[in-house]
Amino acid sequence: MKALSTARAGRRAGLRRRAGVAAVAGLSAAVLACLAGCPPAQAGREGLYVQPLPVQQRQAYPETVTGRFVSLTDFETSVFGLEPGHRQLRHFKITPAGAGAELKYVVNITRTGVGAMEVSLPRGAVLEYRLPAIHDLSDYTLLMMAVYAREIRDDLKVVLTTDRAGWESLPVLLKSGWNDVLIDLQRLKRMPDFEARGVRRLRLWFGASGGAADAVRINLDDIMLIDNRREIGPVPEGMRLVKSGLDYELRTAGRGEPMGIRQCDDGLWRLGADQPLVQLFPRGLALKPDAPVTEDLTAFGRRRVGEVAILEANALRLRLSNTWYFPTSAGQWASLAVRQIRWEHTFYADGREVTDLVVNNAGGQDVSALRVKAPAAAAWSGGGRGAVLEVERFGGSVGRWSFLTAPQGQHRSLYEANYVKPAGVEIRMGRQEACDGDVDADGFDESQGCYHLQAKDGHCRFLLKPGAEGLADAVIRVRGGWKGGVTASSEGLALRDLIRVPDGTVLFLVPGVSTRPRWVEVTGPVSLLEGDTD
């Protein structure tokens, strides 16, 4: 019995030793994870797993989706004996280094990993960064920095310098919180005396418009070089959208030349020769109908910043927004009260293009009139046709106009007629859904060129009633809160290629030309608790 008791005691001691070793191993793994710049993961059934820093960066920064990027500074300590995170601060300095200037290694506010740098810039000071390893930027399209701002700003500028020349970016927009500051390195190619293979320093400062800013405190993390050249999809057949740097290039089947969507010298993005023109007339300046239409935004001021976004990309259409902000002072661009011009462009697979324009003059000087010039002859939401729209009396603070340009071909005049005078919609199941773009409240959204309806308990049934000209290739958008697959049919025939849009709607095409009323039905399962019971 004594021998048996001793054996059991030995086994218990062995179990305790193995448990102790496992605990130390787990602790060591957590410590190594922190040293590698990754937060410790929670131990689960599959054991302790920590994502490597490059994986975290790919998840945090959309432009790294190509996988072609390199980190210059990440403020992390590597287990491979590279420079510790806190030691990476030595590549930075503040000039002039006066009172209030401070660089601090922090772990409380980081974008990825466990470390970042906090920067306190006195009024008029500049943060300088000496590139530690890579000086040849010619193979990359973007320089990216993660910047944490404590307030909304639009006066950040970045300067890149070589031994011979310097290049200064346009003002960069910052929202409160973490921002992916993207500098388009392709701009360097436009400077004949700038050698992109020998970039030595980067300077960051605030107060780009109207003098030096007051003291600024930010956090900085993950300075990276990225090659983001890629094709974006899905897009309609015959269409190709490529992004390179901050710019886009769109090719469509009906266009001989690609459409470039690029940032201009004033900070606003434009569509090259396809950019519609806006001419503003402040109060006291008369509109001259016979004068040529040129872009004139002077009434909104010289301070300008802009941004472009992809709103929707699928097999039926591509939608982009292009917003021009005209703030009166730093940081006002994100306010609803700031003057702005917003374009939304919808490109369909068949070549139809719908442009929606909103002019918001909130808080600005009075604008008495304006003119808008489309890039080609267009059908306008108000019923007119032609390339130029004249608004002789611009009353109020906000105005909205939409127009359609149709491709050359047998359906061009029919597309225009359907846009000016949409087909009637008789709803038997469901209802019309109010939307800002439906200016006539008739179920047709002029801002996107499609019919917009709401299902009832997952079911929508309606009758399209064409005018005398007929109805060609109607685009339908239905909201239903569906929880499963959705089907659509017309006159007993299934409509293929339904698209689920992220906003909860389905989008589809009723193909062909209809000269008589046509029933359309959309159905799908919904939750009984969330169904529309109106």
Side-chain angles (χ1 to χ4, degrees):
M1 294 297 292
K2 183 177 181 181
L4 179 59
S5 300
T6 304
R8 288 177 177 173
R11 283 196 296 270
R12 286 195 295 268
L15 289 173
R16 285 195 297 270
R17 284 194 298 271
R18 284 194 290 273
V21 171
V24 172
L27 179 60
S28 299
V31 172
L32 289 176
C34 292
L35 293 176
C38 307
Q42 295 295 323
R45 293 183 179 179
E46 299 179 357
L48 188 66
Y49 174 71
V50 177
Q51 289 184 326
L53 185 63
V55 175
Q56 294 186 52
Q57 291 172 333
R58 287 193 64 172
Q59 293 175 346
Y61 308 119
E63 293 303 327
T64 63
V65 67
T66 61
R68 300 187 297 273
F69 64 92
V70 62
S71 180
L72 295 177
T73 295
D74 53 27
F75 305 103
E76 307 300 334
T77 300
S78 170
V79 295
F80 301 107
L82 301 180
E83 190 173 35
H86 67 278
R87 287 281 296 158
Q88 296 175 31
L89 271 65
R90 68 188 182 90
H91 301 295
F92 299 83
K93 68 176 182 179
I94 298 175
T95 56
E102 184 181 19
L103 301 176
K104 185 165 57 174
Y105 180 77
V106 296
V107 296
N108 60 333
I109 301 178
T110 68
R111 186 70 171 91
T112 61
V114 298
M117 181 176 69
E118 183 178 296
V119 182
S120 296
L121 288 175
R123 178 181 176 86
V126 175
L127 175 66
E128 183 175 302
Y129 169 56
R130 299 186 306 279
L131 276 65
I134 300 176
H135 303 284
D136 184 356
L137 311 188
S138 59
D139 292 333
Y140 300 93
T141 55
L142 289 175
L143 170 70
M144 196 221 74
M145 297 179 292
V147 177
Y148 183 89
R150 289 161 175 80
E151 59 186 347
I152 298 171
R153 307 195 67 96
D154 58 12
D155 57 349
L156 168 65
K157 276 202 171 183
V158 177
V159 178
L160 299 175
T161 60
T162 67
D163 293 334
R164 296 188 303 169
W167 174 86
E168 185 176 278
S169 75
L170 294 167
V172 179
L173 305 176
L174 293 180
K175 299 179 182 179
S176 180
W178 281 108
N179 298 264
D180 298 348
V181 174
L182 302 172
I183 303 301
D184 195 335
L185 298 176
Q186 298 174 121
R187 305 289 193 269
L188 306 179
K189 299 176 182 178
R190 303 176 187 175
M191 297 180 59
D193 57 342
F194 192 97
E195 180 51 65
R197 297 179 183 274
V199 177
R200 304 296 179 187
R201 290 179 174 81
L202 177 152
R203 293 186 176 92
L204 181 151
W205 60 287
F206 291 87
S209 303
D214 292 334
V216 178
R217 185 162 63 99
I218 60 172
N219 283 39
L220 196 64
D221 202 351
D222 289 326
I223 302 178
M224 308 169 69
L225 294 173
I226 304 172
D227 178 6
N228 76 328
R229 289 171 287 191
R230 67 189 186 276
E231 193 167 331
I232 294 176
V235 293
E237 185 178 356
M239 192 177 295
R240 186 168 181 257
L241 180 64
V242 176
K243 185 173 186 181
S244 181
L246 297 178
D247 298 335
Y248 298 86
E249 184 178 87
L250 176 63
R251 293 180 180 271
T252 61
R255 289 178 175 272
E257 296 294 329
M259 174 190 296
I261 307 170
R262 298 184 173 89
Q263 190 178 29
C264 300
D265 291 340
D266 61 354
L268 305 181
W269 269 263
R270 293 179 176 84
L271 279 61
D274 295 286
Q275 175 62 46
L277 304 178
V278 175
Q279 189 173 25
L280 303 175
F281 293 85
R283 189 167 300 280
L285 186 61
L287 187 154
K288 299 179 180 180
D290 297 330
V293 180
T294 58
E295 183 181 272
D296 190 346
L297 310 174
T298 308
F300 273 14
R302 299 293 182 182
R303 189 185 186 100
R304 304 170 184 180
V305 288
E307 61 179 353
V308 171
I310 298 176
L311 302 177
E312 187 181 320
N314 52 57
L316 183 55
R317 67 185 188 180
L318 170 69
R319 300 188 61 237
L320 305 172
S321 68
N322 180 12
T323 309
W324 300 347
Y325 300 99
F326 300 84
T328 56
S329 61
Q332 287 189 347
W333 64 275
S335 169
L336 293 176
V338 71
R339 295 167 298 177
Q340 60 183 266
I341 295 176
R342 179 178 173 86
W343 307 91
E344 287 191 7
H345 304 279
T346 303
F347 304 91
Y348 285 98
D350 53 31
R352 283 176 286 178
E353 299 177 9
V354 178
T355 300
D356 182 50
L357 166 65
V358 177
V359 177
N360 185 341
N361 189 34
Q365 62 173 308
D366 290 339
V367 173
S368 60
L370 61 83
R371 288 197 291 183
V372 183
K373 183 178 181 181
W380 297 81
S381 56
R385 301 196 189 191
V388 178
L389 171 72
E390 294 186 347
V391 181
E392 296 184 2
R393 295 182 180 178
F394 179 57
S397 299
V398 181
R400 186 171 193 168
W401 305 270
S402 303
F403 63 85
L404 172 139
T405 56
Q408 296 288 345
Q410 60 177 340
H411 294 330
R412 179 177 183 178
S413 60
L414 187 52
Y415 286 149
E416 293 177 345
N418 293 164
Y419 185 79
V420 172
K421 189 176 180 181
V425 180
E426 182 180 317
I427 302 175
R428 293 295 177 86
M429 177 68 74
R431 58 184 171 86
Q432 274 184 214
E433 183 179 34
C435 61
D436 293 338
D438 185 359
V439 295
D440 299 321
D442 56 0
F444 184 75
D445 184 348
E446 284 85 357
S447 70
Q448 300 182 22
C450 66
Y451 297 86
H452 194 185
L453 305 171
Q454 168 78 52
K456 178 179 175 63
D457 298 329
H459 193 185
C460 185
R461 190 167 188 263
F462 57 96
L463 184 66
L464 285 176
K465 304 167 71 173
E469 305 89 347
L471 176 64
D473 302 324
V475 179
I476 313 294
R477 184 178 173 212
V478 182
R479 186 179 303 279
W482 293 285
K483 299 301 181 183
V486 183
T487 60
S489 62
S490 177
E491 304 293 331
L493 299 176
L495 297 173
R496 306 295 182 185
D497 302 324
L498 269 71
I499 296 167
R500 299 291 292 267
V501 184
D503 67 0
T505 61
V506 295
L507 190 70
F508 59 93
L509 181 74
V510 180
V513 177
S514 303
T515 57
R516 60 179 179 81
R518 189 169 181 176
W519 284 104
V520 179
E521 190 165 0
V522 184
T523 185
V526 297
S527 168
L528 294 178
L529 298 177
E530 299 180 12
D532 183 5
T533 56
D534 291 347

